[in-house]
């Protein structure tokens, strides 16, 4: 089974929704919740993550051997998520050989052209379907 790394910041809402849906859809997944702050990490662990850690070093370390990295698109853009994503975090995600499943949240001055706007819940469902189909 691939190591799934969920990265989120701020309140951890997107990461928490992803984790709870992944756990419901595919039992046995090993999910690492990596928050950019302790509130996000705590929320994702409460949602059912197997492991949780906070900050830059856990992001950098866990991207090395991840099979899938999932989170809002801001995790690949330095200084996004209101400054919570450091350049080292963005580089670690971008340079990882893992498959990246990025939710196109058009906030923090990031806009993805060609992607239709949809509610976060719908993005979560699409991400979970993709991850489960490729596990």
């Amino acid at each position: 089974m691939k190591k799934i790394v969920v990265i989120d910041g701020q309140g951890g809402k997107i990461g928490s929704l992803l984790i709870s849906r992944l756990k419901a859809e595919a039992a046995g997944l090993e999910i690492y919740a990596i928050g950019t702050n302790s509130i996000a990490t705590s929320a994702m662990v409460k949602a059912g993550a197997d492991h949780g850690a906070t900050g830059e070093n856990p992001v950098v370390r866990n991207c090395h051997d991840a099979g899938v990295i999932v989170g809002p698109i801001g995790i690949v853009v330095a200084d996004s998520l209101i400054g919570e994503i450091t350049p080292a975090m963005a580089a670690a995600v971008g340079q990882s050989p893992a498959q990246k499943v990025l939710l196109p949240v058009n906030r923090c001055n990031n806009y993805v052209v060609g992607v239709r706007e949809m509610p976060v819940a719908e993005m979560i469902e699409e991400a979970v379907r993709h991850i489960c189909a490729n596990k």
Side-chain angles (χ1 to χ4, degrees), residues 98-116:
Q99 179 186 35
K100 287 93 172 164
V101 179
L102 304 172
L103 283 72
V105 180
N106 290 324
R107 294 188 188 131
C108 300
N109 284 333
N110 296 314
Y111 178 75
V112 181
V113 176
V115 176
R116 68 180 174 89

Side-chain angles (χ1 to χ4, degrees), residues 2-3 30 36 45-46 66 83 89 102 112-113 123-124 129:
K2 295 178 185 174
K3 175 180 178 180
E30 187 168 21
T36 59
V45 168
K46 286 178 186 172
M89 290 171 165
L102 304 172
V112 181
V113 176
M123 284 191 270
I124 299 293
R129 275 193 302 273

Side-chain angles (χ1 to χ4, degrees), residues 10-83:
Q10 299 177 349
K13 181 181 177 184
I14 290 174
S16 296
L17 291 169
L18 280 164
I19 290 166
S20 62
R21 289 297 300 129
L22 284 166
K23 286 294 190 173
E25 287 294 318
L29 291 178
E30 187 168 21
I31 299 177
Y32 289 70
I34 310 298
T36 59
N37 62 65
S38 60
I39 294 169
T41 303
S42 177
M44 291 188 287
V45 168
K46 286 178 186 172
D50 299 296
H51 310 278
T54 303
E56 181 179 89
N57 196 61
V59 170
V60 172
R61 170 60 193 91
N62 283 283
C63 285
H64 287 294
D65 61 351
V68 176
I69 299 171
V70 59
I73 197 164
I75 65 175
V76 296
V77 180
D79 298 328
S80 65
L81 277 67
I82 313 177

